[in-house]
Structures are given as C-alpha cells and as structure tokens.
C-alpha cells in the first residue's frame, strides 16, 4: 500500500538506523561477558555470519530500540498513527529500503548489523507503532505538563500502554491528568504508573475498579511486609525458615512507592482516598479469662 504517512515514517526510521542505534553500558557488559574482549572487526564478522547463533543473538540485542531511539522516533510515530495494517506496510517498506543498521557502542565503536525482512518486521514491532497515546491525551499532557513530559508518556505508552486504548482507559487517564496538580513532585511518576497499569489490564476490565482493587492488594502486601520486617528484626531468615515458614520476601519500600502512586491516581480521579478493602488485624493483648476477653471487645466497640 502507498501511503505518504508510511513513506515518511519509513524514511525517518531508515535514517535513524543509518545514523546509528545507541547502545548502553548493559549491552557492552553483555558483549564482554559473552564474547570476551573481541576487537571491532571480529564482532563485525560475528554479526555478518548468518549461520552463527551467537551472532544472531547479538544482532537481536543490538536491533532493540533503546530510550534514545524511542524518543527520537516518537514524534514521527505519533504523526503517522498506524494501525495493524499500517505497521505491516511500514515493515515491508523498511525491509525494501534497508539491508543493515548501525549500532553504536558506548566507546564509540560502530558495528554494521544485517537486517533482512524478518529483522525489519521485528524492529518495527518493538517500536510499538500501534500503541501510541490517543491524540486527546497527548494534547492534554502537553498542555498541563509540557512537551518533555508528553514525550516521556508517549514513549511509555508505546512500550507498556494499552493496545488499543479502551474508552474507560482514556476516561480514567483524562480524569487523572486533568485533576492531578501539575506541580506535584510525583505527578509525572503517577501518570507513568497509570499508563503501565492500563497496559496490563485484561481486555474488558473496568479500569477504576481494577485500580482500586490493586490498591487493596498493595495495602495488604505492605502490611505483610511490615510484619515480615518486624519478624526479621527479632530473628533471622534461617531461624524463621526452620520453623516451617515459607513466605515470599516482600520489599516494603517498593510496595510503599507503588501504593503511593496508586493512591495519587485514585485521589485525582475520584477526589477521595481509596477505600480500605483489605482485612486488618489488631493486637488486643492477652485475656486471662472470658470476662477479660469480653471486656476487651467492649473497649474496641466503644
């Protein structure tokens, strides 16, 4: 199919592949730990050998669009607004225009990476051309939080956002972005969390009730994590394991951070904190007899 928007996007992607895909320190570490201190010409020969599975694995790693690539191509992807057929046409056009890409390692080494039609299709799929932000949300993010935040959210949506966005998801994101204080320290983090949360929802699941249910699960996990911390402060892992306890380790700081972001999104959407739907427990002390037990219960009801 001939579509000017697809042609322009294919040209932009091809130009970026020719300019070079920046690689991070993790990729350099993988190369050193897997292949040793190979000189650039040996790495290039490894990549050029299509029959070598190690070379094929390395090529797949180098042809993964990183943060810099995603940010550079996001405006063009947003303008194109492709659907599934458009993404397939983009892959075909890119395969016809490009037979290799350039990968740039952190030390400046440039490696030529062969690209056949299948590799081009996989690269296009990793760009997430069908997973962009709805136009109304992108405009709202720009107006309230600025171009840089809108770009970050656009990249996040292509990596982990819904595909497609449901009306309920758009409505929830619009409500949160409209009411969330733009100057709040965690405003951007809250929006990034919400985009990822919506991307992980099952098809047809109502977003707001699911978010509130997630809040309840996080609250329960945080209580268990605090109890676990208390137990470890009075003993150690080996002793607790010897008693027969077999519990997954819960990292309280990570749970608390996600809970705070979830709470912020709910407050912005509904105007009030999430209801505490999780079960709770209370240490009421020790009762010597039934009368003392009933007295303790009476004190709690009062």
């Amino acid at each position: 199919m001939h579509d000017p928007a697809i042609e322009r996007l294919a040209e932009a992607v091809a130009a970026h592949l020719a300019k070079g895909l920046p690689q991070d320190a993790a990729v350099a570490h993988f190369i050193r730990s897997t292949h040793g201190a190979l000189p650039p010409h040996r790495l290039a020969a490894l990549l050029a050998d299509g029959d070598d599975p190690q070379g094929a694995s390395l090529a797949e790693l180098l042809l993964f669009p990183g943060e810099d690539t995603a940010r550079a191509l996001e405006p063009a992807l947003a303008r194109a607004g492709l659907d599934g057929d458009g993404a397939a046409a983009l892959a075909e056009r890119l395969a016809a225009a490009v037979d290799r890409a350039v990968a740039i390692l952190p030390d400046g080494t440039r490696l030529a990476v062969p690209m056949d039609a299948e590799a081009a299709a996989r690269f296009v799929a990793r760009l997430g051309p069908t997973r962009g932000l709805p136009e109304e949300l992108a405009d709202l993010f720009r107006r309230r939080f600025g171009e840089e935040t809108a770009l970050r959210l656009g990249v996040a949506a292509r990596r982990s956002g819904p595909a497609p966005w449901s009306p309920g998801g758009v409505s929830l994101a619009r409500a949160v972005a409209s009411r969330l204080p733009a100057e709040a320290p965690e405003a951007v983090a809250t929006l990034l969390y919400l985009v990822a949360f919506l991307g992980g929802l099952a098809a047809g699941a109502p977003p707001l009730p699911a978010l509130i249910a997630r809040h309840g699960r996080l609250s329960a996990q945080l209580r268990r994590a605090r109890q676990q911390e208390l137990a470890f402060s009075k003993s150690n892992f080996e002793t607790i394991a010897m008693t027969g306890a077999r519990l997954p380790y819960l990292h309280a700081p990570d749970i608390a951070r996600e809970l705070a972001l979830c709470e912020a999104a709910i407050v912005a959407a509904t105007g009030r904190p999430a209801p505490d739907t999780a079960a709770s427990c209370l240490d009421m002390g020790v009762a010597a007899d039934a009368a003392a037990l009933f007295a303790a219960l009476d004190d709690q009801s009062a």
Side-chain angles (χ1 to χ4, degrees):
M1 60 184 293
H2 177 75
D3 185 319
I6 294 176
E7 294 291 331
R8 288 192 295 270
L9 180 55
E11 291 173 1
V13 175
H16 195 81
L17 291 173
K19 180 181 177 182
L21 302 175
Q23 309 295 318
D24 59 18
V27 173
H29 174 75
F30 170 83
I31 293 174
R32 287 194 303 271
S33 61
T34 305
H35 304 289
L38 289 182
H41 73 277
R42 292 281 303 279
L43 285 174
L46 180 65
L47 290 167
D49 186 355
D51 295 327
D52 190 327
Q54 290 190 335
S57 298
L58 179 58
E60 288 297 309
L61 179 64
L62 297 176
L63 290 177
F64 197 95
E67 182 71 16
D68 292 340
T69 299
R71 289 173 62 88
L73 293 176
E74 174 57 28
L77 288 164
R79 285 192 298 270
L82 300 185
D83 57 11
D85 292 338
L90 173 63
E92 292 179 5
R93 180 68 186 85
L94 187 64
V98 174
D99 61 0
R100 67 186 60 247
V102 174
I104 306 175
L105 299 183
D107 64 358
T109 299
R110 299 173 68 87
L111 297 173
V113 186
M115 283 189 74
D116 56 15
E118 292 182 356
R122 289 192 295 271
F123 185 81
V124 168
R126 291 165 186 157
L127 289 175
T130 64
R131 302 176 69 95
L133 287 172
E135 186 174 351
E136 64 170 296
L137 288 182
D139 290 341
L140 176 59
F141 293 152
R142 276 192 292 270
R143 290 198 311 272
R144 293 221 61 221
F145 302 98
E147 290 287 345
E148 172 62 23
T149 295
L151 178 61
R152 287 184 62 186
L153 290 166
V155 170
R158 296 207 182 274
R159 291 181 167 176
S160 60
W165 283 73
S166 69
V170 173
S171 177
L172 178 59
R174 182 173 58 242
V176 172
S178 298
R179 301 167 186 165
L180 195 66
E183 68 281 1
E186 295 294 327
V188 177
T190 300
L191 292 172
L192 290 169
Y193 171 78
L194 183 62
V195 168
F197 173 81
L198 293 173
L201 277 185
L208 183 56
L211 187 63
I212 293 173
R214 177 63 180 165
H215 183 279
R217 290 192 294 273
L218 289 169
S219 297
Q221 286 180 2
L222 185 58
R223 275 193 285 268
R224 291 198 298 273
R226 298 301 188 204
Q227 293 168 353
Q228 198 175 72
E229 287 181 341
L230 180 61
F232 284 135
S233 70
K234 297 179 179 180
S235 183
N236 55 61
F237 179 83
E238 290 77 10
T239 302
I240 293 175
M242 288 174 63
T243 66
R246 295 293 185 270
L247 297 175
Y249 176 70
L250 300 173
H251 191 240
D254 286 346
I255 299 171
R257 172 160 176 75
E258 183 181 351
L259 180 61
L261 297 176
C262 186
E263 177 80 11
I266 292 172
V267 169
T270 66
R272 58 183 182 274
D276 188 358
T277 58
S280 60
C281 61
L282 177 66
D283 184 358
M284 298 172 58
V286 178
D289 52 33
L293 175 61
F294 288 133
L297 292 173
D298 287 339
D299 290 341
Q300 293 302 316
S301 63

